[in-house]
Amino acid sequence: MHIIFTAALVLVSIIASAQERITISGFVKEEGSQEQLPGVNVYLAGTPYGAVTNTYGFYSLTVPVSDSATISFSFVGYEKTDHKLSLQKNASLSIFLKTINQLEEVVVSARRQEDYVSRNVQMSQIEIPIAQLKKVPAFFGEKDVLRILQLMPGVQKGTEGQTGLYVRGGGPDQNLIILDDAVVYNANHLFGFFSIFNSDALKSVELTKGGFPARYGGRLSSVLEMNMKEGSKDKLHGEGGIGLISSRLTLEGPISKGKSSFLISGRRTYIDVLASPLIAQSQKGDDSQVKPGYYFYDLNAKMNYDLGPKDKLYVSGYFGRDKFHAREKSSDSETRAGLDWGNATATMRWNHLLNQKLFVNTSFIFSKFNFGVSSYSKEFGDGATDDEFSLEYSSKIRDFGLKTDFDFYPSPKHAVRFGAQATLHKFVPSALAIEGSFIDNPIERSVTPVNTLETGIYIEDTWQALDALKINGGMRLSTFQTESKTYMRPEPRISAALRLARDFSFKASYARMNQYVHLLSNTGLGLPTDLWVPTTDRVAPQQSQQVAAGFAKDLERPALTLTLEGYYKKMNHILNYKEGSSFLSINGENASELSWEDNVTSGKGWSYGAEFLVQKKTGRLSGWVGYTLSWTRWQFPELNFGETFFPRYDRRHDLSIVGIYEISKRITVSSTWVYGTGNALTLPVSTYKGVSDNLMTRINPNGKPVIGWNGPTVSEFGQKNSFRAEPFHRMDFSIQFHKNKKRHERTWEFGVYNVYNRRNPFFYDLSDETIGNGTSTSKRTLKRYSLFPVLPYFSYNFKF
């Protein structure tokens, strides 16, 4: 009886305790445009109670009952807002934040005020304010999200001018790139020199390199999540720009004021339009006329509609394409060649607020990537003997997906997320057709489309275990189903942050990741010829395990954030082409039967290192310094005699310095300087003449016959990637002149890429050079080829 009575008292105490708390929830939006703001800090002043808005600007804060209290809202680039209210019952409270004047040295920058970096349990994460991104010097003036991320620690650059991301020893395919919940498979324009993301259309950019929450899956190395602007619900706004190689225009405004809005953003190059008359003029009078051309375009579109206080609907899409074409025609021949690729994504999302503590989002997702190569040649004869040759190659991947995510806030110490996702993949890895009047057996190699189903369910909890200890623990169960086999893999995740002082914390994390789609590449340049293929019964999923630990410190004056992290990552079943293989590999009579699986080998890899970042996001002087010290090794049974080797983009040292200074309201200057260890390359260690098949006899300078040593030159290669290219370093500079006109704001930007004309290596070549005059003696010479010298640029930008 006593036990029952005690249990009843405990139960009553729990109920009474629950009744002594109330929940405040709502949305945080930008004043004017009514854009919902993710990542805003919401907290009860003077207490440990706090929350952060989710991707859609929603927050839920459970606090003790009080006669009077102050709820504070803070976010980088916005004025802090305090709201006093009586906490006697559950209430809805939506807030509009005003942007701040960046010219003022504002110490109350949201994340500075509440020591956001040191208090947040998430580590290995980078957020780039879009306003800051637009002030950094850019290649040809094109503001590029991926290029800015390359300036961050832990993110390695590829080759000069390329936008590929190599995160903590991983390849470009190991990055999950998400745009409004849709996966983007190829993020490159112009053969990798620009990314497909138009910064004018983006609202937020967030890169996670480790300590992955359980809601993310499908890639080994990083998650790059980007969200497009929703469009202003207040009035029509626009911005755009005219640069050396492209122009862009973005329009946004209300469909129904205060209730629905739209955004449309387009960009196109005009290299083909500008170059066409110059090429025609240069070939005037020539028998052979060459007409090359290249262009790319992007189109982003989004619409949102408030169905009521608890429901919102979003529809968004991206459509982009690159097209290269060339035609040469003369009196006796004609040649045509083409290369085109493009992405398309579409997402429909429905937000529903079930109650003050439970928020749900459901997304219907479509994504597609196509790539094609064509070539045709014809030599004119007497009409009956014309020689013709044609080649057609294509590959594609298409996804249909359904995703549901719940945000549940049961108590002040717990924030729970759970959900599920299913994606139906359709792969067409390669289709090849070769015909010709001189080919006895035309080749037709087509691959039957491969349909697979990838699913994932997850749950994670951010738990305030102690006042000084916050933990995010979760589990993801991923599956991948092919026609003949089903893979099921558990993926545990955990992160923890221990506050050692008010503004100083120690963090640690562990994450296991699985990847079921793979990118085959032997160029390293992020070209569209890189081939997406699925996991099969012969090719296992890639898997990684990563541990990381480090410190985070927030300084008040000046408002700086410092992070120092170390990591170790083990990767299994990573894929690479076998020596001599490529996406167009053909094997004589059996070409029609050749599978991409016959061209690949599976191996493992290790990556470990340390990263340091000091960053200032607000004030007249902003920017960051990032440094990475890292090692990456791969091992494949069929490469390098089974021994370990450094992959091409292993980089021992990587340093980036970025500075932005607003001299006045009208003038902003910025500069970047980068340094990196050279790429690891494979070069011949010796060459010699092979034996001729026909054993022809020649006479040496002494008059004696030499038999058989006039065959082809043979190169002997040593260890794979044992040669180090020269270090890479470069400085860029830009100056912007702003002026407010009567109806719009205009900005002229002038800049210089590669200020001191550093000739960074793009590739190396070994060639023979003759020694002396009239002799047959030659020597092998290693030549370095560079791509970009000093390049000045300018652009005109406007906003209204």
Side-chain angles (χ1 to χ4, degrees):
M1 189 71 178
H2 177 73
I3 296 175
I4 296 175
F5 181 72
T6 302
L9 285 177
V10 171
L11 181 61
V12 170
S13 175
I14 293 173
I15 295 174
S17 176
Q19 291 173 340
E20 291 174 1
R21 300 182 184 275
I22 57 98
T23 299
I24 307 295
S25 64
F27 293 87
V28 181
K29 306 177 183 180
E30 182 181 77
E31 186 173 274
S33 70
Q34 298 185 36
E35 287 264 357
Q36 293 173 337
L37 299 176
V40 177
N41 284 308
V42 184
Y43 55 94
L44 184 62
T47 73
Y49 298 103
V52 178
T53 58
N54 68 6
T55 305
Y56 304 96
F58 174 77
Y59 75 94
S60 177
L61 183 62
T62 300
V63 295
V65 170
S66 173
D67 292 334
S68 178
T70 300
I71 306 291
S72 298
F73 301 81
S74 59
F75 190 46
V76 169
Y78 292 82
E79 293 182 5
K80 178 190 173 187
T81 296
D82 295 326
H83 194 90
K84 291 185 177 181
L85 69 166
S86 174
L87 303 180
Q88 295 295 325
K89 61 180 180 179
N90 294 341
S92 294
L93 177 64
S94 291
I95 292 294
F96 294 89
L97 297 184
K98 296 180 181 179
T99 58
I100 61 174
N101 183 355
Q102 293 292 318
L103 285 175
E104 299 173 4
E105 186 66 38
V106 184
V107 180
V108 294
S109 161
R111 305 195 175 198
R112 174 76 244 18
Q113 292 168 340
E114 289 308 301
D115 307 325
Y116 179 78
V117 172
S118 60
R119 291 185 64 172
N120 186 13
V121 69
Q122 179 64 54
M123 66 182 303
S124 306
Q125 191 172 78
I126 297 169
E127 296 179 46
I128 306 292
I130 298 298
Q132 191 178 54
L133 180 153
K134 292 184 177 182
K135 297 172 184 176
V136 177
F139 183 61
F140 278 109
E142 296 291 321
K143 306 301 181 182
D144 197 303
V145 171
L146 299 190
R147 285 188 179 278
I148 299 301
L149 290 173
Q150 288 178 343
L151 299 173
M152 291 295 183
V155 183
Q156 312 291 351
K157 295 165 279 293
T159 307
E160 166 80 357
Q162 303 293 307
T163 59
L165 300 180
Y166 298 82
V167 181
R168 291 186 171 178
D173 67 315
Q174 295 177 357
N175 305 313
L176 180 63
I177 302 178
I178 305 171
L179 181 64
D180 275 4
D181 276 350
V183 174
V184 176
Y185 283 98
N186 187 290
N188 298 314
H189 277 315
L190 194 57
F191 308 102
F193 291 107
F194 300 100
S195 78
I196 66 171
F197 304 110
N198 182 354
S199 60
D200 289 347
L202 296 179
K203 176 173 70 174
S204 62
V205 178
E206 184 178 88
L207 177 71
T208 305
K209 303 175 292 182
F212 305 100
R215 59 186 179 273
Y216 296 124
R219 298 295 188 275
L220 300 191
S221 293
S222 76
V223 177
L224 175 57
E225 185 172 20
M226 291 169 286
N227 289 290
M228 292 166 52
K229 293 178 180 177
E230 298 164 10
S232 173
K233 291 187 176 75
D234 181 33
K235 59 183 179 180
L236 181 67
H237 294 278
E239 62 180 308
I242 301 171
L244 288 177
I245 64 171
S246 72
S247 291
R248 66 190 191 280
L249 178 64
T250 301
L251 295 173
E252 57 177 313
I255 299 173
S256 175
K257 192 168 184 178
K259 194 170 187 179
S260 62
S261 63
F262 75 92
L263 174 131
I264 185 165
S265 180
R267 177 175 60 159
R268 191 194 190 277
T269 58
Y270 30 69
I271 302 173
D272 52 335
V273 178
L274 297 178
S276 181
L278 300 176
I279 294 172
Q281 181 66 29
S282 67
Q283 300 180 62
K284 206 175 233 186
D286 293 349
D287 174 60
S288 177
Q289 298 289 316
V290 181
K291 295 183 178 179
Y294 170 82
Y295 66 87
F296 71 74
Y297 69 83
D298 295 312
L299 180 65
N300 296 76
K302 190 168 185 176
M303 184 273 292
N304 73 88
Y305 191 83
D306 287 351
L307 301 173
K310 294 187 176 183
D311 297 274
K312 293 180 175 61
L313 183 68
Y314 304 84
V315 179
S316 60
Y318 166 83
F319 313 93
R321 180 156 293 274
D322 288 67
K323 187 173 181 63
F324 170 78
H325 55 91
R327 180 182 180 186
E328 181 179 7
K329 189 171 184 180
S330 64
S331 58
D332 58 0
S333 66
E334 179 183 358
T335 302
R336 296 193 300 269
L339 178 68
D340 68 278
W341 67 95
N343 295 273
T345 71
T347 307
M348 182 172 70
R349 294 183 288 182
W350 170 43
N351 293 173
H352 179 60
L353 188 60
L354 293 168
N355 56 52
Q356 285 194 303
K357 295 186 177 185
L358 186 58
F359 176 94
V360 60
N361 175 75
T362 301
S363 300
F364 300 90
I365 305 162
F366 168 80
S367 181
K368 181 176 71 172
F369 171 67
N370 290 338
F371 162 66
V373 178
S374 64
S375 177
Y376 172 82
S377 64
K378 182 176 183 179
E379 293 185 5
F380 304 119
D382 57 9
T385 60
D386 291 351
D387 288 333
E388 291 186 78
F389 172 82
S390 67
L391 179 147
E392 297 284 342
Y393 174 87
S394 65
S395 69
K396 63 184 70 173
I397 179 172
R398 187 210 64 197
D399 291 350
F400 288 104
L402 175 63
K403 178 171 173 277
T404 299
D405 301 285
F406 292 85
D407 289 19
F408 178 46
Y409 306 91
S411 72
K413 295 191 175 187
H414 293 272
V416 180
R417 291 187 174 189
F418 59 95
Q421 180 176 6
T423 303
L424 182 63
H425 301 286
K426 180 179 180 180
F427 296 86
V428 183
S430 61
L432 176 68
I434 300 178
E435 296 181 357
S437 57
F438 51 86
I439 298 177
D440 296 331
N441 298 309
I443 296 172
E444 275 193 52
R445 186 182 82 202
S446 60
V447 176
T448 303
V450 179
N451 294 299
T452 63
L453 177 65
E454 182 177 358
T455 64
I457 58 173
Y458 74 90
I459 183 169
E460 64 178 84
D461 180 21
T462 301
W463 174 37
Q464 188 75 52
L466 303 169
D467 287 345
L469 177 63
K470 184 178 285 188
I471 298 172
N472 177 278
M475 174 65 75
R476 183 181 183 90
L477 181 65
S478 62
T479 65
F480 192 81
Q481 182 177 343
T482 67
E483 293 181 357
S484 58
K485 189 170 184 178
T486 299
Y487 295 90
M488 181 178 293
R489 300 288 173 85
E491 301 175 14
R493 319 281 176 81
I494 188 167
S495 299
L498 176 66
R499 288 174 64 87
L500 304 175
R502 186 185 67 85
D503 55 1
F504 182 52
S505 67
F506 171 76
K507 300 184 180 184
S509 67
Y510 167 82
R512 181 187 297 170
M513 306 288 281
N514 289 282
Q515 180 168 331
Y516 299 99
V517 298
H518 320 284
L519 185 68
L520 302 180
S521 173
N522 55 8
T523 64
L525 296 180
L527 296 181
T529 55
D530 297 344
L531 193 67
W532 285 99
V533 295
T535 290
T536 67
D537 55 350
R538 293 173 57 188
V539 177
Q542 299 180 57
Q543 186 179 81
S544 73
Q545 297 187 77
Q546 182 181 167
V547 292
F551 296 91
K553 170 74 174 177
D554 294 287
L555 299 178
E556 188 168 344
R557 290 185 181 276
L560 297 176
T561 295
L562 292 86
T563 59
L564 175 64
E565 294 185 9
Y567 70 91
Y568 177 87
K569 180 164 64 175
K570 173 72 182 298
M571 298 169 281
N572 291 316
H573 307 299
I574 57 178
L575 291 186
N576 207 338
Y577 276 121
K578 295 178 181 177
E579 294 288 3
S581 298
S582 74
F583 78 107
L584 274 179
S585 292
I586 302 172
N587 188 20
E589 296 178 357
N590 297 321
S592 61
E593 302 173 5
L594 187 65
S595 168
W596 64 266
E597 294 167 289
D598 299 320
N599 285 333
V600 302
T601 179
S602 176
K604 54 188 176 181
W606 303 264
S607 184
Y608 51 92
E611 302 164 1
F612 171 76
L613 174 67
V614 54
Q615 186 174 23
K616 188 173 186 292
K617 292 185 179 180
T618 61
R620 297 180 66 173
L621 176 64
S622 61
W624 64 88
V625 176
Y627 171 72
T628 305
L629 173 67
S630 64
W631 290 261
T632 301
R633 287 183 177 273
W634 285 356
Q635 186 176 30
F636 294 85
E638 298 182 62
L639 298 178
N640 199 43
F641 309 104
E643 297 180 8
T644 62
F645 62 93
F646 295 115
R648 179 184 180 95
Y649 297 112
D650 166 68
R651 186 158 295 156
R652 196 70 59 248
H653 304 282
D654 191 84
L655 174 66
S656 299
I657 302 174
V658 179
I660 303 168
Y661 184 64
E662 299 188 7
I663 298 174
S664 68
K665 291 183 178 181
R666 299 185 58 180
I667 302 175
T668 302
V669 295
S670 61
S671 182
T672 64
W673 187 76
V674 295
Y675 173 88
T677 302
N679 292 334
L681 306 174
T682 303
L683 293 178
V685 295
S686 63
T687 58
Y688 54 89
K689 287 286 186 179
V691 178
S692 174
D693 292 337
N694 57 17
L695 296 178
M696 291 177 60
T697 301
R698 66 180 177 85
I699 305 299
N700 69 10
N702 297 325
K704 295 181 179 181
V706 179
I707 299 176
W709 295 100
N710 59 342
T713 299
V714 179
S715 297
E716 171 70 22
F717 293 87
Q719 293 289 312
K720 187 175 181 66
N721 292 348
S722 58
F723 174 80
R724 279 287 174 178
E726 297 167 82
F728 173 99
H729 55 88
R730 190 191 72 243
M731 175 178 282
D732 304 331
F733 174 82
S734 76
I735 183 169
Q736 296 179 346
F737 298 95
H738 313 278
K739 188 172 183 178
N740 289 317
K741 298 284 190 175
K742 186 175 181 181
R743 296 185 178 179
H744 72 281
E745 176 188 339
R746 68 104 175 111
T747 300
W748 279 101
E749 180 174 354
F750 300 90
V752 181
Y753 179 88
N754 197 2
V755 171
Y756 50 84
N757 198 29
R758 163 69 177 175
R759 306 310 294 264
N760 288 302
F762 186 67
F763 68 91
Y764 289 86
D765 181 49
L766 278 171
S767 59
D768 291 321
E769 288 190 357
T770 302
I771 301 175
N773 297 322
T775 69
S776 59
T777 306
S778 64
K779 68 174 182 178
R780 299 285 280 174
T781 303
L782 179 64
K783 293 184 177 180
R784 178 195 65 195
Y785 290 86
S786 300
L787 200 58
F788 298 113
V790 56
L791 290 174
Y793 66 85
F794 71 90
S795 65
Y796 174 80
N797 304 285
F798 59 88
K799 188 175 183 179
F800 61 88

